[in-house]
Amino acid sequence: MPKSTFLNLPPEKRRRIIELATDEFAANTYHSASLSRIVERAGIAKGSIYQYFEGKLDLYVYVLKTAAEVKLAAIAEEMARLGPAPGVFDMLRAAVRGGFELARRNPKLTAIATNFVRERDPEVVGAVTGELVPAGEAVLDEWFAAAARRGELAPGISPPAARLAYFALGNAVNEELASGRLTLDEAGKLWSEMIDILEFGLRPRAGTAAAGGPGPGDRRERS
């Protein structure tokens, strides 16, 4: 994460450095990305970047964290359109829509995400997932816990199990997209279908719905 020397820079200079780092990591894999190119374009000495970050990996993690925050803002906008008390599966669909709409508008963020999905260096993957995944897991666990209380999950299915199923299905789609076997539009459609599968598997079956909760065939209207 950035050092205080970076955080104390004027906002415009901070923004410029992150924009240029975003360009570099969007155009290259982590290992082929160059700090020298970033600092040259930024017009700063190469040693300066080490006053701002511990090194390239630290900068990379911060760029991905910044991209994730932009994505979360786009998802929040889409979620706001759902109205009061949406069901968890409508929330998941809104999150997917928001993410893919952002990807269409901002190809650089798509390229960075795609490059990360292709990343196989355990140190790089571990640094990024260690920073970004826990917060996402906590949000999904909260969503699924609330869904269980509303009777939207079959008895015996825990929120962590539902979250793992969501991640497993989503990661499969992301791998297909990163490999080039799917276009962005095809991946968005497949993500939607994956949530249909998830809903079918997690909803209560006939005779098992919690009292007052939705039963099978009581699916909410899709937005």
Side-chain angles (χ1 to χ4, degrees):
M1 288 296 98
K3 299 178 180 180
S4 59
T5 47
F6 178 77
L7 299 176
N8 289 333
L9 289 173
E12 179 60 26
K13 188 169 184 178
R14 290 202 311 267
R15 183 191 63 79
R16 178 65 174 160
I17 291 171
I18 296 307
E19 277 188 357
L20 294 173
T22 299
D23 290 346
E24 183 68 15
F25 289 121
N28 301 278
T29 64
Y30 171 77
H31 286 290
S32 61
S34 167
L35 286 181
S36 295
R37 285 193 292 264
I38 295 171
V39 297
E40 181 180 357
R41 292 184 63 197
I44 60 177
K46 186 169 184 178
S48 297
I49 203 73
Y50 294 100
Q51 295 176 17
Y52 304 149
F53 296 89
E54 293 296 335
K56 185 165 79 167
L57 183 54
D58 197 29
L59 175 60
Y60 182 62
V61 171
Y62 186 68
V63 166
L64 281 171
K65 183 177 180 180
T66 301
E69 290 169 353
V70 173
K71 181 176 180 179
L72 286 175
I75 288 172
E77 287 182 14
E78 190 66 33
M79 297 275 289
R81 299 188 180 98
L82 291 178
V88 70
F89 299 105
D90 289 333
M91 294 166 69
L92 294 175
R93 291 186 180 95
V96 169
R97 284 196 304 273
F100 275 92
E101 281 303 313
L102 175 65
R104 293 184 185 96
R105 297 195 308 266
N106 196 325
K108 288 180 186 177
L109 296 189
T110 304
I112 289 175
T114 298
N115 284 339
F116 176 68
V117 171
R118 294 171 178 159
E119 183 60 57
R120 294 296 178 262
D121 185 325
E123 180 184 6
V124 176
V125 173
V128 174
T129 57
E131 180 66 33
L132 300 185
V133 168
E137 289 179 342
V139 169
L140 284 171
D141 282 347
E142 181 181 333
W143 286 9
F144 283 122
R149 292 192 294 270
R150 293 192 298 265
E152 295 178 25
L153 300 186
I157 295 179
S158 67
R163 179 245 302 159
L164 285 172
Y166 174 80
F167 276 146
L169 293 174
N171 287 339
V173 178
N174 291 341
E175 289 283 354
E176 291 289 297
L177 177 61
S179 71
R181 289 189 289 268
L182 293 175
T183 66
L184 195 62
D185 286 342
E186 289 169 340
K189 182 176 183 297
L190 190 56
W191 248 109
S192 179
E193 292 172 2
M194 288 295 193
I195 295 176
D196 287 345
I197 293 170
L198 192 69
E199 181 174 11
F200 179 80
L202 297 182
R203 280 282 194 190
R205 298 292 184 267
T208 66
D218 188 27
R219 287 177 52 165
R220 295 172 181 267
E221 288 249 331
R222 293 189 198 172
S223 53

